[in-house]
Amino acid sequence: MDQIITFGEVLMRLSPEGNKKFIQANLLEFYFGGTEVNVGISISNFGGNVKHISCVPNDFLGDTAMAFLQKFGVSTSAIVRSNRPLGVYFLEVGAVMRPSSISYNRSHSSFSEIQPSMVDWEFAMAKAKWLHWTGITPGLTKGAYETLKVGLKLAKEKGIEVSADPTYRSGLWKYGENAKDVLTDLLSYSTIFIGGINEMNEVLGTNYSYSNEDFINASKKLMEKFPNIKKVFDKIRTSINASWHKIRARMWNGTEFRETNDFDITHIIDRIGTGDAFAAGLIYGLQKFDDYKSMEFASAACALKHTYEGDVNYATVDEVMGILNGNVSGVFKR
Ligand SMILES: O=C(O)C(=O)C[C@H](O)[C@H](O)CO
């Protein structure tokens, strides 16, 4: 009973090299990603035992996606295959005052077409101690929402931890269900909330500000509405420009409010997947450390992810600890 389960789409990112716009480019680089995949791989890189559940195509791209997960030690034994294509997204990476842009091509992908009958959750979660979900999956299609719900019900029956990163994306939710209703439903099966004021306002229908006082009030209200939720963790990004951000985090665990110092990320290499790196750091941390140390570990993991190209975080526990111990000057290691 030591497995951490992630469930979600394996996406391929296609992107011109460096900071080029598509109109300038003839070559595209590809990376595998997908929010929950990124979380799973990062936890595996920390030494966790991870199984990812998804649906990928029955072709060489599906084989490559499976091999990618396996390369990082993530179990693919519960991934199903179909004759639908792999979901893709196109990214133009911005710089300084020019923002990044994303265009998705995922509406009939193998994962978007997933149905509850396709996943054997009993088998997939036989050794599970933790299930992680995000708001991307139920925002895709009714099938993805209902499939996730089966897993969450089983997680509740088993009494395992369920972390929720409700990540509201207005570009999703095109299939007729209301985000607030669906997220409310799924949060009733969850124990740890990874999200901030925007996400809490979305599910509570409130208008809290970004202040710490309102963060505590919103967290209390969330816990009143969802008594199963025991802890709220919020990553705060201050954006000076597209290449320079500051990251810190705050938490409310029902009795205590804490916040971390800022990490100053002056030269971002790649910010995609940094929220997933935070979630992975928390999930790993909460199994080893107290709440505050877990949050510090997660912030440092998130900060480090900004230095890697691609969607996933390659950081090891020692590298995250190095950052936490103040080794942030990037001095050559010999
Ligand atoms: O944008 C999405 O939906 C993805 O899953 C692609 C990226 O890997 C994700 O945004 C990183 O959080």
Side-chain angles (χ1 to χ4, degrees):
M1 295 283 279
D2 68 342
Q3 208 156 38
I4 296 155
I5 310 292
T6 49
F7 172 67
E9 180 156 31
V10 186
L11 274 180
M12 181 184 276
R13 177 213 289 200
L14 291 169
S15 192
E17 291 166 296
N19 297 89
K20 283 185 181 164
K21 286 171 75 79
F22 272 82
I23 194 82
Q24 293 176 271
N26 308 99
L27 292 173
L28 296 180
E29 291 183 327
F30 82 88
Y31 297 93
F32 284 106
T35 302
E36 304 85 355
V37 168
N38 302 339
V39 173
I41 288 177
S42 177
I43 296 171
S44 190
N45 285 338
F46 293 146
N49 175 5
V50 179
K51 179 183 281 181
H52 186 70
I53 307 175
S54 194
C55 180
V56 302
N58 225 339
D59 62 12
F60 66 92
L61 283 178
D63 292 346
T64 315
M66 300 275 276
F68 181 75
L69 285 156
Q70 288 158 7
K71 179 167 91 170
F72 296 99
V74 173
S75 167
T76 54
S77 63
I79 293 187
V80 292
R81 314 289 293 261
S82 83
N83 58 7
R84 295 279 175 190
L86 191 75
V88 174
Y89 77 101
F90 301 91
L91 172 73
E92 270 184 5
V93 182
V96 197
M97 72 286 278
R98 173 162 64 90
S100 298
S101 304
I102 287 188
S103 172
Y104 291 103
N105 190 340
R106 70 199 301 186
S107 60
H108 295 288
S109 68
S110 42
F111 185 79
S112 292
E113 303 272 310
I114 202 165
Q115 294 298 327
S117 60
M118 292 165 72
V119 176
D120 182 350
W121 282 100
E122 287 283 354
F123 158 75
M125 295 222 295
K127 293 186 183 149
K129 66 172 172 187
W130 196 298
L131 172 62
H132 177 70
W133 66 275
T134 83
I136 308 277
T137 294
L140 293 174
T141 54
K142 197 168 172 73
Y145 160 39
E146 288 176 344
T147 308
L148 170 61
K149 188 166 169 177
V150 177
L152 289 174
K153 279 186 169 165
L154 183 61
K156 192 166 187 176
E157 265 171 52
K158 285 172 160 280
I160 64 175
E161 294 287 4
V162 175
S163 46
D165 175 354
T167 317
Y168 176 67
R169 294 227 182 123
S170 54
L172 301 178
W173 303 100
K174 299 280 199 270
Y175 65 93
E177 296 276 356
N178 171 280
K180 179 169 186 257
D181 297 342
V182 169
L183 294 175
T184 300
D185 179 25
L186 299 179
L187 284 170
S188 66
Y189 300 98
S190 307
T191 58
I192 290 165
F193 187 93
I194 307 174
I197 292 295
N198 291 345
E199 289 75 26
M200 290 196 273
N201 280 338
E202 174 65 31
V203 292
L204 295 170
T206 49
N207 211 6
Y208 287 108
S209 75
Y210 294 99
S211 72
N212 284 344
E213 194 186 342
D214 265 14
F215 169 74
I216 297 169
N217 289 332
S219 302
K220 285 181 176 166
K221 198 162 170 83
L222 188 82
M223 290 175 178
E224 249 168 63
K225 182 164 176 175
F226 303 100
N228 41 296
I229 293 181
K230 297 172 297 193
K231 298 171 189 183
V232 178
F233 294 93
D234 179 20
K235 166 183 65 53
I236 303 166
R237 179 184 298 280
T238 311
S239 181
I240 289 109
N241 61 44
S243 311
W244 181 6
H245 292 178
K246 290 171 193 263
I247 293 290
R248 78 191 150 89
R250 57 187 174 180
M251 55 164 252
W252 173 255
N253 64 7
T255 50
E256 190 185 21
F257 170 80
R258 300 285 301 271
E259 65 182 327
T260 66
N261 294 326
D262 273 329
F263 279 105
D264 199 10
I265 307 154
T266 49
H267 296 73
I268 295 173
I269 303 295
D270 194 330
R271 66 153 288 186
I272 304 282
T274 52
D276 307 328
F278 180 78
L282 263 180
I283 295 168
Y284 175 82
L286 287 168
Q287 293 167 64
K288 305 261 173 203
F289 316 127
D290 64 20
D291 293 343
Y292 179 66
K293 179 86 189 281
S294 304
M295 179 171 67
E296 280 195 311
F297 183 85
S299 307
C302 171
L304 258 183
K305 165 62 195 71
H306 290 77
T307 70
Y308 299 111
E309 279 181 0
D311 298 40
V312 309
N313 192 7
Y314 298 95
T316 63
V317 169
D318 283 353
E319 285 162 347
V320 177
M321 286 302 189
I323 301 298
L324 263 188
N325 292 334
N327 302 326
V328 290
S329 61
V331 170
F332 212 122
K333 279 183 19 200
R334 290 174 200 269

